[in-house]
Amino acid sequence: MPSRTTLPPPPPPEHLRAWPDHESLLADRARAIGELRRRGLAVPRLLLLWTYGVVAVLGWAVFSLGLGAFEDRNADYVTGLAELVLGLFFLVPAVIGIGFDVAGDRTVRGRLDAWAALAPDPENDYRMQAGARGAVWLGLSAVLCVTGFALAVVGAVQPGSTGVGATAYFVGTGVIVLVIGVLGAVRAVGHRRWAGPVPSPVPAPGTGGAHR
């Protein structure tokens, strides 16, 4: 099995599969799906996504200070330019990190689909739905979505009472928080939609079906 730092590999191509029996195939399938499901909705992944959001918000705050500096004719434009550059120094890595995180989620989803397509295993799949963990992801992400939307609206509807820098700060921060919330919600809902149709109804005891 893979280490803690690597994802389970996809199943081998059909012409290279060499499981001695169906039970062995189902056992490897269960281990791979269990690990992928755990990785997909792991708490560290949620915290990592939030960390990218915090870094992006910090970068945008500094960038907004730079924008505000150019509103004041008596301001130090060199300082303003330095703040713009420093803001981008935080923003660019955060955006790249979010991109890698989204790509990683697509990889997890693809491997889940590949392992699930090998053979039906209703009883094991039923245990893989991760309802509680998905609900936590969805609930926390929904809070971020509401918060981000509120910040963006507050910044957008009061442009006359604040400067360009302050308006940009509130709107930009709201958009960043909203995006992080949406990404978390999409992951939770996506896993639920994946887990929902995968399991067949769990067979009643004595009617056969899932392996032991």
Side-chain angles (χ1 to χ4, degrees), residues 33 54 123 161 197:
I33 288 181
V54 170
E123 185 174 306
S161 59

Side-chain angles (χ1 to χ4, degrees), residues 174-207:
V175 170
I176 292 170
V177 174
L178 178 60
V179 168
I180 296 299
V182 167
L183 290 176
V186 166
R187 186 171 299 172
V189 173
H191 182 84
R192 182 61 185 172
R193 291 183 64 185
W194 173 86
V198 168
S200 306
V202 178
T207 62

Side-chain angles (χ1 to χ4, degrees), residues 19-44:
W19 282 286
D21 51 47
H22 192 63
E23 295 297 314
S24 299
L25 183 151
L26 291 181
D28 283 349
R29 177 189 184 277
R31 283 193 293 267
I33 288 181
E35 180 64 13
L36 288 165
R37 188 269 307 173
R38 186 185 68 81
R39 297 289 188 90
L41 295 178
V43 173

